[in-house]
Amino acid sequence: AGAGAGAASRLLRRSRPRTETAAAMRFLSPIIPSLTGLALASTSSPDVRVPPSDGGTSDANPLLRSWSTEPYHLPPFSEIRPGHFKPAFEVAMTEHLAELKSIADSDDDPTFDNVCAAYDRAGHLYGRVASVYGNLCGSLNTDEMREVQTEMTPILSRHGSAAVTTPGLFERIRAVHGMRDSLDLTPEQ
């Protein structure tokens, strides 16, 4: 939050008189961490279409398509509706579990890159959808959004449990952890 707030503050100071800057920072300070997180969650990944459940007339789900053409690569909030979340999560959770299963089922000897780094990259789409969901759950207090929350809470909980209990995944992580002293890892790794 500090880095995002500092950058925003410097930008505002260069472009506005001091009183306007102070007022803008009071307004922006609470939302800068959320915007920073959403920007980090955005990606230039290709558009993904949700399988239509209405006979093929559905448009692309804005939660699943690329945000690379959106201002600051932020989600297209004006297009997102509460009904987009369940199908987006279904696609994202399936993809996430497939990525984790691929790591766990790999025949390659476990290494930092093919286990830990791959684990870190897994679930990018899930994280992107979850970032917007969390943001709107905290700010969009409508009956429709509350219904989505009620429906999705147990589904997301089950997904979290399935993700951390993927058969074979822990064993591969433990194998890399066991050889960490013999690997040429950076302090961050």
Side-chain angles (χ1 to χ4, degrees):
S9 177
R10 285 189 299 280
L11 178 64
L12 286 170
R13 277 194 299 255
R14 276 187 252 142
S15 62
R16 297 176 183 231
R18 183 167 289 213
T19 55
E20 289 181 37
T21 300
M25 283 312 297
R26 280 192 303 277
F27 172 75
L28 289 175
S29 291
I31 64 170
I32 285 174
S34 294
L35 294 175
T36 303
L38 289 171
L40 292 174
S42 68
T43 180
S44 58
S45 63
D47 289 356
V48 179
R49 293 214 173 254
V50 177
S53 59
D54 58 1
T57 60
S58 292
D59 292 329
N61 185 321
L63 292 166
L64 296 173
R65 69 171 190 249
S66 172
W67 301 336
S68 64
T69 59
E70 297 296 323
Y72 306 103
H73 294 202
L74 289 172
F77 285 107
S78 64
E79 298 176 35
I80 297 171
R81 303 290 174 259
H84 288 131
F85 284 106
K86 185 175 182 183
F89 269 123
E90 288 171 351
V91 170
M93 289 185 296
T94 299
E95 180 181 295
H96 185 211
L97 292 178
E99 291 166 341
L100 296 176
K101 184 170 176 19
S102 174
I103 296 166
D105 292 347
S106 175
D107 291 331
D108 296 336
D109 289 336
T111 66
F112 182 86
D113 288 334
N114 71 13
V115 176
C116 298
Y119 181 83
D120 197 39
R121 288 187 304 269
H124 179 76
L125 178 60
Y126 176 78
R128 212 173 75 131
V129 172
S131 290
V132 177
Y133 177 75
N135 184 285
L136 290 182
C137 284
S139 62
L140 185 61
N141 190 21
T142 64
D143 290 340
E144 191 177 7
M145 195 64 198
R146 283 191 299 275
E147 287 173 18
V148 170
Q149 287 178 276
T150 300
E151 181 179 10
M152 292 307 300
T153 297
I155 294 169
L156 296 174
S157 177
R158 282 191 300 272
H159 173 76
S161 295
V164 298
T165 60
T166 300
L169 183 61
F170 177 75
E171 290 76 15
R172 290 185 60 83
I173 293 170
R174 183 174 35 199
V176 173
H177 183 263
M179 62 180 145
R180 70 189 179 283
D181 293 333
S182 63
L183 300 174
D184 188 26
L185 300 175
T186 67
E188 182 183 4
Q189 293 171 321

